[in-house]
C-alpha cells in the first residue's frame, strides 16, 4: 500500500465524486483507476436508470476493475454497482450492506471511490459516514464535484436563484424554477474540490465566467481546478484528508428539510433494439433531442457486420461514440439505450426509434 494513502487513524479514505448528468464523472473514475500506481481501489457506482450502463463502461475499461481482477492476476478492487435509484435515496437499503462487505475486506483496500448519480444529493451520502458502523472504518477524504463547463457556460445550469427567478418572470413560457439549479448549487455546496471539466471545449473568456460563477457558491478554502476528460494528477484528487463527514451538517442545502428530493421531476427508461445502422441511429437521436426535453442518452449499439460494440453517450445535443470492446460469444448482439429527462413522452421516443428495428 502507498504510504500516503490512508489517514493517520488508519481509516479507508473515500472520495465521493458528484456532478450533474454528463459532467464526466465516469471518465474521471476511469482516469483514476488507470493511474492507480499500485493503489488497491474499490469502486461504488450508482446509476439512475434501469440499466447499469456506467458499470458496464467501467467493466469494459480493461484495467482490472472488474470481478476478475487486474493485470498480473492481482485483484485491483471490487466493482460494486447500485442500480436502483439515487444513492441518497437507497442508502439504507443498499449502501450500508455494500459498505459492510468492503469493511470486511479493509485489509485489501487502500481507497474507495463512490460515483453518485447525476441526480443525487451528495449531503445525505456523506452524512451516512457518521453512522458508527461506517465511521470506524471509513472517512470521506473529499467530495469532488465535477462541472460540465460548456453546459454551464451556456447558462444551462444557472447557479444564482435571483437570476433564474428574473428569467422566469421575463419568460411567459416558464412558470416555475427548474430543480436542476438547486441541485447544481447543492452539489457545489458539498464540495471539497471542484473540477471544471471539458475545459478544452470552451474559450478562455467562457472558462473564466464559469469559474467566477462557481467560486461565488464556494468558501475560499475549496479549490477549483481545470481538467480535460477528467485528467488530473492523483495527488490532486486523492489524499485531501478533509474528513467531510465531520463538517457536512454545517453546509447549507436547499433540501435540508425536504422529504422528497424532487426526483419525481426526472424520468428514466431504456429502449432495446436489434442491430442498427450507426448513421441512422445517430440521426434519430439528434432528432429526438431536438423534439424532447432529454438531458442524457447513453448505451450501446450493435452494428451489422461489426465485431465491436459501439458506446454511445449524449448530453443535450452533444454526442460521442466509439467502439469499446468486442461482443462476447455468449451475449446477444442487441442495442440498449437509456434516456433521462424531464417531461419525456416515452411512447413518442419508442415510436421514433421503432423504424430502426426494421
Amino acid at each position: 500500500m502507498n504510504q500516503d494513502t490512508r489517514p493517520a487513524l488508519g481509516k479507508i479514505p473515500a472520495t465521493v465524486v458528484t456532478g450533474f448528468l454528463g459532467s464526466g464523472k465516469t471518465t474521471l473514475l476511469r482516469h483514476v483507476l488507470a493511474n492507480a500506481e499500485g493503489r488497491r481501489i474499490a469502486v461504488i457506482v450508482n446509476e439512475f436508470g434501469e440499466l447499469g450502463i456506467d458499470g458496464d463502461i467501467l467493466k469494459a475499461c480493461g484495467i482490472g476493475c472488474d470481478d476478475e481482477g487486474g493485470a498480473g492476476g492481482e485483484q485491483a478492487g471490487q466493482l460494486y454497482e447500485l442500480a436502483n435509484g439515487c444513492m441518497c435515496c437507497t442508502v439504507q437499503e443498499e449502501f450500508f450492506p455494500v459498505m459492510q462487505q468492503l469493511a470486511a475486506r479493509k485489509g485489501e483496500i487502500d481507497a474507495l471511490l463512490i460515483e453518485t448519480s447525476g441526480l443525487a444529493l451528495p449531503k445525505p451520502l456523506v452524512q451516512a459516514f457518521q453512522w458508527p458502523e461506517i465511521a470506524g472504518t471509513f472517512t470521506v477524504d473529499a467530495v469532488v464535484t465535477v462541472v460540465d463547463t460548456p453546459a454551464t457556460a451556456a447558462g444551462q445550469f444557472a447557479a444564482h436563484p435571483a437570476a433564474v427567478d428574473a428569467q422566469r418572470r421575463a419568460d411567459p413560457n416558464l412558470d416555475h424554477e427548474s430543480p436542476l439549479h438547486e441541485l447544481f448549487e447543492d452539489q457545489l455546496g458539498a464540495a471539497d474540490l471542484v473540477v471544471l471539466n471539458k475545459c478544452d471545449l470552451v474559450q478562455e473568456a467562457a472558462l473564466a465566467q464559469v469559474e467566477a460563477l462557481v467560486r461565488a457558491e464556494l468558501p475560499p478554502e475549496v479549490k477549483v481546478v481545470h481538467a480535460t476528460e477528467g485528467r488530473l494528477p492523483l495527488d490532486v484528487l486523492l489524499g485531501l484528508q478533509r474528513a467531510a463527514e465531520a463538517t457536512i451538517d454545517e453546509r447549507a442545502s436547499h433540501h435540508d428539510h425536504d422529504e422528497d428530493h424532487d426526483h419525481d421531476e426526472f424520468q428514466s427508461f431504456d429502449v432495446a433494439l436489434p442491430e442498427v445502422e450507426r448513421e441512422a441511429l445517430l440521426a434519430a437521436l439528434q432528432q429526438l433531442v431536438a423534439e424532447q426535453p432529454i438531458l442524457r442518452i447513453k448505451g450501446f449499439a450493435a452494428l451489422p457486420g461489426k465485431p465491436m460494440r459501439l458506446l454511445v453517450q449524449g448530453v443535450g445535443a452533444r454526442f460521442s461514440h466509439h467502439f469499446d470492446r468486442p461482443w462476447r460469444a455468449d451475449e446477444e448482439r442487441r442495442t440498449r439505450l437509456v434516456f433521462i429527462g424531464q417531461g419525456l413522452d416515452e411512447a413518442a421516443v419508442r415510436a421514433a426509434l421503432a423504424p430502426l428495428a426494421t
Side-chain angles (χ1 to χ4, degrees), residues 203-270:
Q203 300 294 324
E204 288 187 12
L207 177 58
Q209 178 186 17
V210 171
E211 180 160 355
L213 182 151
V214 167
R215 282 201 176 279
E217 301 293 333
L218 302 173
E221 64 270 17
V222 176
K223 294 185 177 180
V224 178
V225 296
H226 302 171
T228 296
E229 296 182 348
R231 295 194 297 266
L232 289 167
L234 262 60
D235 57 4
V236 172
L237 296 168
L238 307 181
L240 301 186
Q241 300 187 17
R242 299 299 189 201
E245 70 276 13
T247 60
I248 191 65
D249 293 335
E250 304 167 10
R251 307 186 193 190
S253 165
H254 287 288
H255 302 83
D256 283 340
H257 306 292
D258 286 2
E259 294 293 331
D260 188 340
H261 292 169
D262 283 327
H263 293 167
D264 289 341
E265 297 288 339
F266 301 95
Q267 296 166 265
S268 176
F269 59 88
D270 65 280

Side-chain angles (χ1 to χ4, degrees), residues 68-330:
E68 298 177 359
E74 295 184 4
Q75 187 161 344
Q78 181 76 27
L79 173 67
Y80 291 91
E81 182 184 0
L82 308 182
N84 298 319
C86 294
M87 188 177 292
C88 63
C89 295
T90 62
V91 66
Q92 292 182 344
E93 291 78 13
E94 294 192 59
F95 180 70
F96 182 61
V98 170
M99 295 300 284
Q100 284 183 308
Q101 295 179 60
L102 292 174
R105 292 180 49 200
K106 61 183 179 181
E108 307 169 35
I109 300 170
D110 299 328
L112 170 63
L113 295 178
I114 303 175
E115 178 190 357
T116 71
S117 159
L119 305 179
L121 301 170
K123 187 171 181 176
L125 172 62
V126 177
Q127 288 172 321
F129 282 78
Q130 300 170 351
W131 298 351
E133 298 90 341
I134 295 177
T137 304
F138 300 93
T139 182
V140 180
D141 185 69
V143 176
V144 177
T145 298
V146 184
V147 173
D148 185 330
T149 306
T152 307
Q156 201 165 343
F157 312 117
H160 299 288
V164 174
D165 188 57
Q167 182 181 12
R168 178 186 62 79
R169 290 195 304 268
D171 190 339
N173 296 316
L174 298 177
D175 57 4
H176 65 277
E177 179 181 330
S178 168
L180 300 183
H181 303 295
E182 292 186 358
L183 174 58
F184 185 64
E185 290 177 342
D186 284 354
Q187 290 178 342
L188 289 175
D192 298 295
L193 175 72
V194 175
V195 177
L196 301 186
N197 201 25
K198 308 180 185 178
C199 288
D200 57 318
L201 302 181
V202 297
Q203 300 294 324
E204 288 187 12
L207 177 58
Q209 178 186 17
V210 171
E211 180 160 355
L213 182 151
V214 167
R215 282 201 176 279
E217 301 293 333
L218 302 173
E221 64 270 17
V222 176
K223 294 185 177 180
V224 178
V225 296
H226 302 171
T228 296
E229 296 182 348
R231 295 194 297 266
L232 289 167
L234 262 60
D235 57 4
V236 172
L237 296 168
L238 307 181
L240 301 186
Q241 300 187 17
R242 299 299 189 201
E245 70 276 13
T247 60
I248 191 65
D249 293 335
E250 304 167 10
R251 307 186 193 190
S253 165
H254 287 288
H255 302 83
D256 283 340
H257 306 292
D258 286 2
E259 294 293 331
D260 188 340
H261 292 169
D262 283 327
H263 293 167
D264 289 341
E265 297 288 339
F266 301 95
Q267 296 166 265
S268 176
F269 59 88
D270 65 280
V271 176
L273 297 167
E275 293 185 344
V276 296
E277 295 291 344
R278 173 166 38 188
E279 297 308 318
L281 173 65
L282 294 175
L285 295 180
Q286 289 281 5
Q287 185 65 30
L288 280 172
V289 167
E291 297 173 350
Q292 295 260 1
I294 296 171
L295 296 171
R296 186 87 157 91
I297 299 173
K298 54 186 176 179
F300 303 101
L303 306 185
K306 300 292 185 182
M308 301 282 287
R309 190 176 65 172
L310 186 73
L311 169 65
V312 179
Q313 300 196 74
V315 180
R318 302 196 312 273
F319 281 86
S320 64
H321 54 90
H322 65 271
F323 292 107
D324 70 324
R325 67 165 174 81
W327 289 98
R328 294 190 296 267
D330 62 345

